[in-house]
Amino acid sequence: MTELSAHLPQFQHGQLTENFPDNHLSNTNDNSERRRHDNSERRRNDNPESETNGQPQNNIQQVVEQDEEEDEELTLKYGAKHVIMLFVPVTLCMVVVVATIKSVSFYTRKDGQLIYTPFTEETETVGQRALNSILNAAIMISVIIVMTILLVVLYKYRCYKVIHGWLIISSLLLLFFFSFIYLGEVFKTYNVAMDYITVALMIWNFGVVGMICIHWKGPLRLQQAYLIMISALMALVFIKYLPEWTAWLILAVISVYDLVAVLCPKGPLRMLVETAQERNETLFPALIYSSTMVWLVNMAEGDPEAQRKASKNSTYDKQAPANQTRNEDAEADDGGFSQEWQQQRDNRIGPIESTPESRAAVQALPSNSQTSEDPEERGVKLGLGDFIFYSVLVGKASATASGDWNTTLACFVAILIGLCLTLLLLAIFKKALPALPISITFGLVFYFATDNLVQPFMDQLAFHQFYI
Amino acid sequence: PALGLFLFTIARDPLRIIILIAGAFFWLVSLLLSSLIWFIAVKASDPRDEPLQKGLLIFGVMFSVLLQEAFRFLYYKLLRKAIEGLVALSEDGCSPISIQQMAYVAGVGFGLMSGAFSMINLLADALGPGTVGIHGDSQLYFLTSAFMTMVLIFLHTFWGILFFHGCEHRRWWEITAVVVMHLTVSGSTFCNPLYVPPLVPSYLLMAIAATWAYLLSGGSAQNLRRFLLCKS
């Protein structure tokens, strides 16, 4: 594979910055796909960079600067593909959530609130209600912040066992308990009779396979499917147990928090990312959705460290789900990790259609020379928290909007566009970025606007059968 | 049919999907703004006055049409800039996606979104009991709505192509023709619930627009014949 050998010189170079050791798509795709350019807007902004060169990919021996520039170009080139790779799971998650909300009434019944939101919203006056929801949101956010800081501290002091244990417990809880409830409710809705033994067997299988897939090795598609299901379950729990105004407030505040936590120099998430970079590790084995797979093909002689790291990577790349004992972890970690992408962007790639042996994995961060053994793969990662909050937004829209499907559709499109823009910014800034703010802002704006403004308009139009 | 169009032509190429979603977004924004205007107008006027309300609605529709076209133009500008970037980035100096393809996709985006918005609540209601027009309204409500929506989606697609072509070659009359057509189609729906005026001219216009777009895209009667006869 010429592609693979092509990557060797680049990596030997070693000075590649951590953030994008490389974009060389170990690409067995044909040229046509290579020409798939990314988002149009991105190109507009990146014109200055793109001046550099349009050398064809097969030009192997390249000078260093050209390597870097080509890196950038390639990053941007494959952008469109990555955007789609992220679109699909986000869409799937939202579809699952909306479908469930529409059909299973359990998730729209008010059965009480979580202990994190102690103030009720069934109050007499509007002012009281507003106050209560603000207090609720404040409590929730402080819980999240505390959890994130706790996580960062644990990470800094290398208490990996604790973190692993925590993640495993939460994913256990999520996989078994929540899916049991979900399954039960679905059966109730469709009036399907089912005995406990069958249910136990199903849940057991589902849970065990999920644990294996997420924390260990497993087929990529299956792992992605599990992550999507986990996110959907979590989002459903949120939709059910968060009262109205609190939910919207929380969404708004969490996107602000995300922005702050990732971009401020003292933000906990940023510290987390930097610590991980210093230690040359992949960030977390958990809470991140990766669009690609890490395949391990060890070439020639790798040094033992590289190989060890590579194997560690392959484990870590199977993203663990949003751990939730209750909600706190989810928000804490996911909200935080939503910017893992760029950081890990370098790691993996693997256009899924290509054959295993044609790809190889390398670590995220270059460990000087020996990483050249494993040509790199790259993909885009998105934190699971982002999935969850997007789905919460769309789910709430479909559950409680008067405009029903119109609103849902509007929010969906808004979120996708936000995601596009965020990916665009990612390509420009090449740093870890928060994925929540833009999309959530668009989503919220469109939700409220569509619900209040567009809906009456469309109703009238449909009534008279006018068409615009 | 529109969905089939989407699946066959757009779903393969990620760039097209992005352009599609962006197109849908632009339409949505234009809808938002126009409904904002309408809402303000309604609030400012007397809610009990029936003809006035209807008149306002008509005004809102017209305004919305104009806004849609304006947004189509804006989108065109954006895509123009994007094409330059893509060309610079590409390996062999030609863009991976031509402006015509973009026009097509943008048109489909607009169309899908408008169709979705028009139809989806109807569809959801259609799952309920089958009582159409039981209060003396026409019984053909669903059917006509479906046809109308389909024609509108296709029209948007063709208008996209025509519009972009007009902008490319600076033929202002093409652009005005598109706008006028849009206005006519919307206007003809004002005659509902008599179903003849909207549907028939709309289909005619669609046929005209289709042939025009086809010719613009470089097709010809000869191509068509070869395609139909499955010649290689």
Side-chain angles (χ1 to χ4, degrees):
Chain A
M1 306 275 166
T2 58
E3 320 277 338
L4 294 180
S5 53
H7 298 145
L8 285 174
Q10 263 101 22
F11 288 82
Q12 253 141 14
H13 187 268
Q15 62 83 42
L16 301 167
T17 62
E18 296 166 330
N19 279 344
F20 32 13
D22 236 307
N23 313 337
H24 291 280
L25 205 40
S26 39
N27 196 341
T28 51
N29 300 335
D30 42 330
N31 279 342
S32 62
E33 258 190 56
R34 220 179 287 156
R35 302 231 179 84
R36 213 150 282 168
H37 294 246
D38 52 290
N39 209 328
S40 28
E41 290 116 39
R42 205 183 302 198
R43 287 292 68 224
R44 171 167 49 104
N45 292 339
D46 287 316
N47 261 331
E49 296 161 25
S50 63
E51 252 63 84
T52 56
N53 56 12
Q55 285 188 4
Q57 225 133 332
N58 297 328
N59 241 352
I60 297 178
Q61 314 309 336
Q62 306 210 359
V63 189
V64 171
E65 302 84 44
Q66 285 181 341
D67 291 349
E68 286 184 13
E69 285 153 357
E70 219 189 52
D71 292 350
E72 293 180 6
E73 278 186 16
L74 288 174
T75 318
L76 302 165
K77 269 187 197 178
Y78 297 106
K81 196 134 183 289
H82 294 150
V83 174
I84 300 301
M85 289 202 283
L86 278 185
F87 266 13
V88 173
V90 171
T91 315
L92 273 180
C93 195
M94 289 200 243
V95 161
V96 167
V97 169
V98 170
T100 312
I101 296 249
K102 286 289 177 197
S103 54
V104 179
S105 65
F106 172 71
Y107 288 103
T108 40
R109 276 205 309 266
K110 302 268 329 152
D111 278 344
Q113 297 180 200
L114 298 167
I115 57 169
Y116 298 106
T117 54
F119 298 98
T120 171
E121 284 199 9
E122 320 274 339
T123 61
E124 296 88 37
T125 69
V126 174
Q128 182 79 355
R129 184 176 191 182
L131 184 66
N132 275 355
S133 45
I134 293 181
L135 287 175
N136 275 343
I139 293 179
M140 193 69 118
I141 296 293
S142 40
V143 167
I144 294 174
I145 295 184
V146 163
M147 283 297 159
T148 314
I149 295 187
L150 187 64
L151 194 67
V152 173
V153 162
L154 280 178
Y155 192 68
K156 250 186 140 62
Y157 291 114
R158 298 180 188 266
C159 311
Y160 292 138
K161 295 266 189 239
V162 176
I163 297 183
H164 282 334
W166 183 5
L167 288 176
I168 290 187
I169 291 182
S170 355
S171 48
L172 265 176
L173 185 75
L174 205 62
L175 275 175
F176 286 104
F177 187 52
F178 284 164
S179 46
F180 174 60
I181 294 182
Y182 177 74
L183 208 57
E185 290 306 320
V186 167
F187 285 149
K188 275 188 220 168
T189 310
Y190 290 110
N191 222 1
V192 173
M194 180 70 73
D195 55 306
Y196 276 122
I197 301 183
T198 317
V199 167
L201 209 58
M202 285 201 300
I203 298 280
W204 174 254
N205 282 344
F206 180 75
V208 167
V209 174
M211 289 299 288
I212 294 179
C213 237
I214 295 172
H215 290 279
W216 199 46
K217 304 191 208 298
L220 179 68
R221 287 287 182 216
L222 199 57
Q223 184 194 5
Q224 290 177 335
Y226 264 103
L227 288 176
I228 294 179
M229 281 193 271
I230 296 284
S231 315
L233 280 176
M234 207 55 228
L236 284 171
V237 166
F238 274 150
I239 296 176
K240 178 172 174 63
Y241 285 113
L242 284 181
E244 288 287 330
W245 293 12
T246 312
W248 298 115
L249 268 180
I250 287 185
L251 276 176
V253 176
I254 215 175
S255 48
V256 170
Y257 166 69
D258 201 19
L259 196 65
V260 162
V262 173
L263 296 177
C264 286
K266 281 298 187 184
L269 299 174
R270 185 161 175 158
M271 280 174 24
L272 195 62
V273 167
E274 283 167 5
T275 319
Q277 283 184 351
E278 285 164 28
R279 293 186 195 165
N280 258 5
E281 284 172 359
T282 66
L283 194 49
F284 243 130
L287 319 177
I288 303 179
Y289 175 93
S290 159
S291 50
T292 66
M293 175 74 139
V294 172
W295 291 89
L296 263 191
V297 173
N298 283 330
M299 316 243 298
E301 6 60 67
D303 73 66
E305 194 195 51
Q307 283 179 355
R308 198 174 15 97
K309 275 201 184 176
S311 53
K312 194 161 73 152
N313 282 346
S314 71
T315 327
Y316 286 168
D317 254 356
K318 314 321 186 297
Q319 324 292 309
N323 48 326
Q324 285 327 343
T325 47
R326 263 328 206 158
N327 316 321
E328 72 264 21
D329 303 336
E331 276 121 0
D333 302 321
D334 304 346
F337 292 13
S338 47
Q339 22 76 16
E340 275 343 272
W341 355 351
Q342 183 39 358
Q343 223 273 331
Q344 308 296 323
R345 191 176 183 164
D346 26 299
N347 308 14
R348 11 244 91 169
I349 214 178
I352 309 200
E353 50 274 3
S354 57
T355 56
E357 52 272 14
S358 64
R359 286 182 272 146
V362 333
Q363 292 79 326
L365 310 164
S367 54
N368 298 350
S369 49
Q370 287 359 19
T371 41
S372 54
E373 262 72 0
D374 306 338
E376 187 177 331
E377 294 188 339
R378 200 178 47 116
V380 175
K381 294 176 170 357
L382 188 61
L384 278 193
D386 298 333
F387 277 88
I388 294 181
F389 284 113
Y390 293 160
S391 311
V392 166
L393 191 104
V394 176
K396 268 258 179 254
S398 76
T400 63
S402 60
D404 229 11
W405 288 97
N406 279 347
T407 323
T408 314
L409 204 55
C411 290
F412 171 68
V413 172
I415 288 183
L416 283 186
I417 294 288
L419 197 61
C420 269
L421 284 178
T422 318
L423 283 172
L424 173 63
L425 286 181
L426 185 70
I428 298 180
F429 287 118
K430 300 193 175 25
K431 284 195 321 184
L433 283 183
L436 280 182
I438 301 182
S439 287
I440 299 273
T441 320
F442 274 5
L444 283 176
V445 162
F446 268 83
Y447 169 74
F448 287 113
T450 317
D451 203 19
N452 299 325
L453 296 176
V454 177
Q455 193 43 39
F457 190 41
M458 296 304 295
D459 267 345
Q460 287 292 312
L461 285 183
F463 182 64
H464 296 281
Q465 259 198 329
F466 292 168
Y467 279 89
I468 61 166
Chain B
L3 198 60
L5 208 59
F6 168 70
L7 282 176
F8 284 126
T9 57
I10 295 188
R12 306 283 152 163
D13 188 1
L15 189 57
R16 296 189 201 166
I17 296 188
I18 296 179
I19 299 184
L20 179 94
I21 302 278
F25 180 68
F26 271 79
W27 186 88
L28 197 61
V29 173
S30 83
L31 179 66
L32 200 70
L33 285 178
S34 46
S35 56
L36 179 67
I37 307 274
W38 176 79
F39 195 70
I40 296 177
V42 165
K43 287 296 181 204
S45 69
D46 182 8
R48 280 176 301 275
D49 193 356
E50 258 304 315
L52 178 62
Q53 290 301 312
K54 197 147 187 221
L56 273 184
L57 199 60
I58 295 185
F59 160 71
V61 170
M62 290 301 168
F63 196 74
S64 166
V65 167
L66 291 173
L67 264 184
Q68 276 180 38
E69 298 304 324
F71 269 85
R72 211 198 288 272
F73 183 65
L74 281 178
Y75 195 42
Y76 165 74
K77 280 268 186 254
L78 187 68
L79 286 180
R80 279 293 284 169
K81 294 222 193 114
I83 279 243
E84 292 161 19
L86 284 178
V87 169
L89 186 59
S90 143
E91 294 169 351
D92 49 9
C94 76
S95 160
I97 183 167
S98 72
I99 188 81
Q100 287 155 335
Q101 283 180 337
M102 279 201 191
Y104 165 68
V105 174
V108 173
F110 268 54
L112 270 182
M113 204 58 190
S114 83
F117 260 69
S118 312
M119 273 307 279
I120 199 115
N121 275 333
L122 275 180
L123 283 175
D125 283 339
L127 290 176
T131 58
V132 182
I134 205 168
H135 292 289
D137 296 323
S138 160
Q139 290 179 329
L140 297 170
Y141 190 65
F142 280 134
L143 275 179
T144 43
S145 304
F147 278 115
M148 196 66 204
T149 313
M150 189 176 84
V151 82
L152 204 62
I153 296 181
F154 282 144
L155 273 176
H156 270 295
T157 316
F158 300 132
W159 284 333
I161 300 181
L162 294 172
F163 194 85
F164 280 37
H165 187 260
C167 291
E168 282 285 316
H169 300 268
R170 302 245 174 270
R171 294 197 203 147
W172 303 117
W173 60 274
E174 277 190 18
I175 301 180
T176 36
V178 169
V179 177
V180 164
M181 260 201 280
H182 199 171
L183 282 174
T184 339
V185 168
S186 288
S188 63
T189 61
F190 292 152
C191 307
N192 273 333
L194 312 127
Y195 285 120
V196 175
L199 277 181
V200 173
S202 308
Y203 271 93
L204 277 179
L205 277 178
M206 182 183 89
I208 297 180
T211 22
W212 193 359
Y214 185 66
L215 289 172
L216 278 185
S217 314
S220 67
Q222 204 175 30
N223 273 352
L224 194 60
R225 208 175 313 132
R226 274 177 28 205
F227 169 71
L228 285 176
L229 295 178
C230 290
K231 297 229 181 80
S232 62

